[in-house]
Amino acid sequence: MPAVAAWEPLAEALGAVRRIVVFSGAGISTESGIPDFRSPGGVWTRYNPRDFTFAKYVASAAVRQRAWRMRREFWGAEPRPNPAHLAVARLEAAGRCRGVVTQNIDGLHQAAGSVRVVELHGTSREVICIGQRPRVGTPAGCGFRAPYTWAFARIDEGHDDPTCPDCAGIVKSATVSFGQNLFPGVLQQAVELIGEADLVLAVGSSLQVYPAADVPAAAVRGGATLAIVNDEPTPLDDLATVVVRGRAAGVLSAAVEATLTPAT
Ligand code: NAD
């Protein structure tokens, strides 16, 4: 008897439902060359996440300069969507997926063609004004927003701590840093999108970062089934009907291809 490929139970589960919502984490982008928090040699072995709290960013020009250097490194590698992002976009285009809730800040789902994407932790593709002295983890800017290239151009002109052109406030990538509150309304959007799911497909997330990790757990409490694709165990594995231990690009592209190809 031929061996069953690891992705086959996933293809079966995806084929049995109409309303999939994808919940993705840093692991879906590692095969695009963007390290997650745990990868050896990853960005977080060279930059200490504790140095980038919201409070320290507000308080210190040196921290902001280091943060811009890190962003440059991130975008300098010119990350592109990998087959996992493309498979997710294919599911949505085929009318089988309602959208994506992502913890990622890299914009690769949209670059792959996904349309409905809720970014729980914001986006590093843009920068925003957070005001001159924002407090208690909440940006309080004037509304200025620009592509990240705006900040890099200011830095190249010699402004190593670029400030808002409209109000001279602090400029920061439009991401949620440690010690920063989620942007208003985002968690609600995620809960609403997840609430449409009859199956939540969690991909490349350790499912340990809260409140984000509670989003798929809430879907299960609401009656959805859960499928998990991750290369290590997660705390929600026991809640899932399908767990595929493997690399996201190979698993998702094979499972989605099988799901969308009519049987002959
Ligand atoms: P995480 O780093 O906590 O977990 C990633 C998980 O993915 C790990 O369990 C890892 O074993 C697994 N993994 C790595 N590569 C994989 C692959 N190719 N296939 C399958 N599994 C793979 O990430 P998280 O759960 O997203 O939470 C951490 C936080 O890190 C999030 O808040 C996110 O905003 C932030 N982050 C984002 C990016 C990004 O935007 N690409 C990168 C690093 C960190």
Side-chain angles (χ1 to χ4, degrees), residues 25-26 30-31 37-38 103 105-106 121 205-206 230-232 248:
T30 55
E31 290 167 273
F37 280 152
R38 289 162 176 75
Q103 298 172 87
I105 56 170
D106 54 34
H121 296 156
S205 174
S206 62
N230 205 55
D231 66 5
E232 65 173 10

Side-chain angles (χ1 to χ4, degrees), residues 65 80 117 168 192 212 230 240 260:
Q65 287 160 18
R80 298 175 58 77
V117 182
E192 280 171 20
N230 205 55
L260 297 183

